[in-house]
Amino acid sequence: MKVNEIMAKDAVCIKEHDNITHARQLMRDHYLRGLPVIDEKQKVVGILKDQDVLNVKSTRSNVTVEGYMHDCPLITPETDIADAAKHLLDSKIGRCPVIVSGEDRTIAGMLSNSDILANIGSDRKLNAAVADIMTADVITCTPQENLTKVWPVLLESNFSGLPVVSDKDEPIGMVTRMDIIRSGFVRTALNDTHGTQPKDTTAVEKIMSTPVYTVSTDTSVKECLEKMLHYDVGRMTVLDKDRIVGIVDRTDILRVFVMGTDPVQ
C-alpha cells in the first residue's frame, strides 16, 4: 500500500516566519499535533510539533516558528506505508507532510501515524500481547496538581500524555500536551515553572480528558489498536487487577508494525 492511498489531501500549514502564537492557535482550532512549515515559495521546510509549542520559553508574541521547527523525513505519495512508518519512528514525529517528490517539495498532503495504524489491522505481528510492548515506567499525576508541574514532565519524559489517578491510585482520566495547548494556559505555565502563582494556574482536573480508556496486560495489540481507533485516542492505560502497570501509545504499536516485538538494538 502506498502513502497516496491513505494520506489526508488537505493540510493546514504554517509559514516559517509566522509567530508561534499563530501556530498555537492553529493547533488549538484544528486539533493538530503537528504543522508542516512552508517557505515563501510554498515549499516544505520542516515540521512544528505540539511539543515544540510547549517548549517555547518566551512569552513574547513575536517569537517565530523557524527557531523551533524540525527537519522532516522525505515522504512522497509513492512511498510504501511500511517505509513511511519507519521514517516516522526514526524522526520521532507522529505527523509528517507528504511532498510531491524529492525535487518538488510542494506539499501534497499529510500522513499521521493514525493513518498508518488504521490500515494495518491484519498484520500478524499485532497478535502479540500488550504486556510485550507497553511502557512499564508510568508517570502519573493527580487531579489537583497544577499544570505548571505537569507540562515540564510531558516535555522532559517525552510522553505525550499522563494518566490522572485518584487518591486511591485509580485511573480517572488522561492529561495530554494537546489538552494543555487547547486550555490556553501555556503562557502561565511558562512564566511560573515553580508553581509560585497558584491563583494564576489551573488544576489538571479542569482540562483532563475523560473517561479513561484501559486494556489489560493480556489484551492483544490488535484489540488495543481497535479500541484506540474507535475512541480516537492516542494512548491506552494498561491495568492489572485495577492497578496501572503500563501505557501503550501509537508509537508503540507503530514500532510493532515495523520491527515486531523483539528488543530494539
Side-chain angles (χ1 to χ4, degrees):
M1 183 177 290
K2 303 293 185 183
V3 165
N4 64 353
E5 299 177 60
I6 65 172
M7 70 181 189
K9 300 298 193 297
D10 298 322
V12 178
C13 300
I14 189 87
K15 291 185 177 179
E16 58 184 333
H17 300 306
D18 284 349
N19 293 336
I20 285 287
T21 50
H22 180 47
R24 184 183 297 134
Q25 189 65 50
L26 288 176
M27 286 185 177
R28 186 183 302 144
D29 292 348
H30 297 277
Y31 204 69
L32 298 174
R33 292 174 289 118
L35 288 169
V37 184
I38 57 176
D39 62 17
E40 295 302 321
K41 296 181 179 180
Q42 308 297 308
K43 305 297 184 182
V44 174
V45 293
I47 185 81
L48 184 74
K49 303 181 292 183
D50 55 359
Q51 188 175 10
D52 301 323
V53 170
L54 286 182
N55 206 25
V56 176
K57 296 297 189 296
S58 172
T59 57
R60 292 181 295 112
S61 60
N62 61 346
V63 176
T64 59
V65 168
E66 60 186 333
Y68 291 88
M69 69 181 186
H70 295 266
D71 291 335
C72 48
L74 176 62
I75 297 178
T76 73
E78 294 305 310
T79 302
D80 183 81
I81 66 167
D83 291 332
K86 187 174 187 305
H87 285 317
L88 292 183
L89 285 175
D90 290 344
S91 302
K92 297 181 180 180
I93 57 176
R95 196 167 185 265
C96 183
V98 180
I99 59 176
V100 172
S101 68
E103 296 73 34
D104 182 359
R105 296 186 66 87
T106 304
I107 193 164
M110 288 296 294
L111 180 73
S112 70
N113 48 21
S114 295
D115 297 326
I116 298 174
L117 292 173
N119 288 278
I120 63 170
S122 60
D123 194 294
R124 69 179 185 279
K125 287 179 284 190
L126 302 187
N127 292 329
V130 160
D132 295 333
I133 70 165
M134 69 183 187
T135 298
D137 188 13
V138 182
I139 300 174
T140 63
C141 61
T142 67
Q144 294 77 32
E145 285 189 71
N146 286 329
L147 294 187
T148 51
K149 299 292 186 181
V150 172
W151 78 262
V153 176
L154 287 174
L155 292 178
E156 294 163 10
S157 67
N158 205 34
F159 294 152
S160 58
L162 301 181
V164 184
V165 298
S166 69
D167 54 5
K168 297 180 180 179
D169 282 335
E170 299 168 330
I172 56 176
M174 185 75 65
V175 61
T176 69
R177 293 177 194 156
M178 186 52 64
D179 291 330
I180 295 178
I181 291 173
R182 294 186 76 194
S183 73
F185 285 91
V186 175
R187 285 178 177 272
T188 302
L190 290 170
N191 279 331
D192 187 29
T193 56
H194 299 292
T196 58
Q197 304 171 37
K199 66 179 181 180
D200 293 330
T201 62
T202 194
V204 166
E205 62 187 346
K206 298 292 186 181
I207 70 163
M208 69 183 191
S209 302
T210 56
V212 61
Y213 298 106
T214 66
V215 292
S216 61
T217 52
D218 59 356
T219 299
S220 71
V221 176
K222 180 178 180 180
E223 182 182 345
C224 180
L225 173 58
E226 289 171 349
K227 288 186 176 183
M228 289 170 65
L229 293 172
H230 176 74
Y231 294 114
D232 191 23
V233 293
R235 62 211 56 77
M236 300 288 285
T237 303
V238 185
L239 301 182
D240 182 12
K241 298 178 181 177
D242 297 325
R243 183 174 63 90
I244 297 178
V245 293
I247 290 285
V248 173
D249 64 14
R250 296 185 183 103
T251 299
D252 295 323
I253 299 180
L254 200 64
R255 189 176 293 111
V256 173
F257 172 59
V258 172
M259 307 183 209
T261 56
D262 293 333
V264 178
Q265 301 297 319

